[in-house]
Amino acid sequence: MKKPIKVAYLVISRYNPGLLKQIEYDYKLTKNIKDILWKNFTFLDQVEKNSSSKRLPFLFRGVFGRRLFAWLWLIKNAYKYDFVIVRHMEFDVFAILFAWLVPNRILVHHSKEVEELKFLRKDLRGLIASNVEIITGGISVRTSCALLTVSKDLINYQRSSRKLSKDFPIFLFPNGIIVDNTPILRNVSNKNSSIQIGFIAGRFLEWHGLDILLSNCIKDIDKDFENKIIIHLIGNIGSRFDEQIRLINKFNGKIKIKVYGPLRQKEYWKIFCKCHIGIGSLAMYRIGLTDGCTLKVREMLAMGLPIFSGHKDTALPLNFPYYYSKGGDIDDIIKFTEKVSKVTRKEVRNASYKYIDKKICFDSLGKNLKILYKNNQSKTTLKR
């Protein structure tokens, strides 16, 4: 009997509902990957009742504490596995001490870390954190055995910015969702006299491009659109957009903004049932990305909601009819809505299935891990 490849999947993070959803998918799908014995380990600063996650000890719940805990866990446990998959930890000074001790790490990358740290804090702290990441991130990456990235942009970025050889293994591992576990939306009535749009984020940040959408609304505020436009904003917006939203809602009533704050899936599902389209992110270019692979886009497509976005999606074909990637103004949103208005939720979901389902992502990862394992075994044999 062939010996299975042993893989540990380690998540150490602050609590957030989006992450919990991803962890839930991972636990379900990693049980049955052929020839791979997979174990999930999740440690969070707070956990929900009946959760499979464990709570971090009190002293390890801060930023640096979480990083130290990760390394202590890796040093104690990594040797039991062929590979340990763990998200890359930015601005991690402990990598200088410990990275060399755990060579079987596979790091998951979700962003251009050096640039993102400067972008998130546009002051001296951001500059310092970014410069530290150049050193510590470089050490962490170059002492790992492989990388996983959620977009094609990031494969090229990691190879060039970390000065990796062309032979260093980097695999694409896009975000995905369990489509069959996602509730499909009710079909929207074509008799509806308004165009309704859903825009959701855990917390609206600059790369989501909410400011672009609101500026376009203000630019067209005196237009007499044929149909009323209602935009539903779901998530933590903060107060910086209050004045713009008040101005839009106060004007001629043709564009209306509704703000809800953070909601659970069963609550925003009801809102999405009214919507003709959803909005992805409109300004990923602000963090240096031309393609992306966000979980919220996968969830909306799985629900049957076509997407208007400002960037290409890593997993979707360029001509995919239910994902508009060129961004634009309110007129472009209206044109796209008209184009998809007669399509059923089921048609959108079925067309999206093979590109967004998480099982397909894990099947591909399983194949790549087997290739990596075989190559590593060959190198070990040659050294002997």
Side-chain angles (χ1 to χ4, degrees):
M1 183 179 173
K2 189 164 45 169
K3 180 183 171 185
I5 301 169
K6 292 186 285 185
V7 177
Y9 193 20
L10 176 64
V11 176
I12 296 175
S13 177
R14 290 175 61 189
Y15 168 91
N16 78 69
L19 175 66
L20 284 186
K21 204 174 288 182
Q22 194 78 329
I23 291 167
E24 179 191 328
Y25 301 151
D26 295 347
Y27 267 73
K28 287 177 181 174
L29 292 172
T30 52
K31 290 177 183 176
N32 302 309
I33 300 178
K34 191 178 178 184
D35 299 326
I36 295 180
L37 186 62
W38 192 294
K39 291 197 74 173
N40 293 279
F41 300 92
T42 304
F43 300 90
L44 306 174
D45 60 348
Q46 63 182 78
V47 295
E48 294 183 346
K49 193 177 178 182
N50 302 321
S51 170
S52 54
S53 305
K54 293 184 178 178
R55 195 172 191 194
L56 284 162
F58 179 76
L59 292 175
F60 295 101
R61 289 177 196 165
V63 174
F64 289 101
R66 291 196 300 272
R67 283 154 174 68
L68 179 57
F69 183 87
W71 285 113
L72 294 176
W73 189 97
L74 286 165
I75 291 165
K76 183 180 178 183
N77 296 287
Y79 75 93
K80 303 171 188 174
Y81 302 92
D82 297 301
F83 304 115
V84 180
I85 299 175
V86 60
R87 183 166 180 164
H88 174 70
M89 297 180 284
E90 305 97 336
F91 185 48
D92 175 23
V93 294
F94 300 111
I96 299 170
L97 298 173
F98 302 130
W100 325 90
L101 304 176
V102 193
N104 60 335
R105 287 169 297 121
I106 297 177
L107 304 180
V108 184
H109 291 262
H110 289 255
S111 66
K112 295 184 175 181
E113 297 91 4
V114 173
E115 288 77 7
E116 187 180 53
L117 286 165
K118 283 189 286 190
F119 185 80
L120 288 172
R121 288 191 179 275
K122 297 177 181 177
D123 54 20
L124 186 60
R125 288 175 297 175
L127 185 62
I128 291 170
S130 178
N131 284 321
V132 170
E133 170 61 19
I134 291 172
I135 299 166
T136 61
I139 291 170
S140 183
V141 165
R142 287 192 290 274
T143 53
S144 68
C145 66
L147 305 183
L148 303 176
T149 71
V150 297
S151 78
K152 292 170 187 172
D153 268 0
L154 292 176
I155 292 178
N156 299 326
Y157 169 79
Q158 293 300 335
R159 199 174 294 284
S160 60
S161 69
R162 308 296 188 182
K163 297 178 174 58
L164 301 174
S165 73
K166 60 179 174 48
D167 299 323
F168 189 92
I170 307 179
F171 304 112
L172 183 64
F173 183 51
N175 281 321
I177 191 168
I178 302 179
V179 176
D180 292 336
N181 287 8
T182 307
I184 195 164
L185 303 173
R186 292 190 292 264
N187 285 321
V188 69
S189 171
N190 287 325
K191 296 176 183 177
N192 198 333
S193 60
S194 62
I195 291 172
Q196 302 209 35
I197 301 158
F199 196 178
I200 186 170
R203 181 163 61 103
F204 281 89
L205 299 168
E206 289 191 45
W207 56 81
H208 292 122
L210 176 56
D211 59 310
I212 295 172
L213 179 65
L214 295 178
S215 295
N216 284 333
C217 289
I218 291 169
K219 177 170 70 74
D220 291 341
I221 205 167
D222 57 351
K223 275 193 179 180
D224 188 19
F225 294 109
E226 184 179 342
N227 296 304
K228 186 174 181 179
I229 297 166
I230 301 172
I231 300 170
H232 303 272
L233 300 181
I234 303 161
N236 189 346
I237 296 173
S239 58
R240 66 190 186 282
F241 298 115
D242 287 356
E243 193 55 43
Q244 286 174 291
I245 292 169
R246 268 197 297 269
L247 175 63
I248 293 163
N249 285 340
K250 184 176 147 183
F251 211 70
N252 69 2
K254 281 292 185 178
I255 304 177
K256 183 172 180 61
I257 310 288
K258 292 187 176 182
V259 180
Y260 298 88
L263 299 176
R264 293 186 177 272
Q265 187 188 66
K266 65 181 180 181
E267 296 166 324
Y268 62 74
W269 180 87
K270 293 175 185 175
I271 297 166
F272 282 164
C273 281
K274 305 173 190 174
C275 294
H276 297 84
I277 65 167
I279 291 180
S281 292
L282 299 174
M284 292 281 262
Y285 61 85
R286 289 174 174 167
I287 50 172
L289 295 175
T290 60
D291 73 334
C293 191
T294 59
L295 191 60
K296 67 172 182 174
V297 164
R298 271 121 197 82
E299 183 179 33
M300 287 189 279
L301 287 172
M303 287 181 173
L305 196 61
I307 302 297
F308 184 92
S309 184
H311 62 272
K312 291 177 290 184
D313 189 285
T314 295
L316 298 173
L318 290 176
N319 61 350
F320 188 71
Y322 310 124
Y323 183 88
Y324 183 89
S325 63
K326 298 174 185 176
D329 57 19
I330 302 301
D331 284 332
D332 293 312
I333 289 175
I334 292 169
K335 285 174 192 171
F336 178 64
T337 304
E338 288 170 350
K339 184 181 172 184
V340 298
S341 62
K342 294 181 181 176
V343 177
T344 67
R345 307 297 198 188
K346 193 172 181 180
E347 285 176 278
V348 175
R349 179 185 177 107
N350 288 348
S352 307
Y353 200 108
K354 64 182 178 181
Y355 304 114
I356 64 172
D357 192 65
K358 186 84 174 181
K359 183 180 184 303
I360 296 166
C361 302
F362 269 109
D363 287 345
S364 176
L365 175 60
K367 289 174 187 174
N368 288 328
L369 289 175
K370 288 168 193 175
I371 292 168
L372 184 64
Y373 181 78
K374 185 178 177 182
N375 290 344
N376 286 355
Q377 292 295 100
S378 299
K379 288 176 187 176
T380 304
T381 304
L382 285 173
K383 283 179 183 177
R384 287 175 187 164

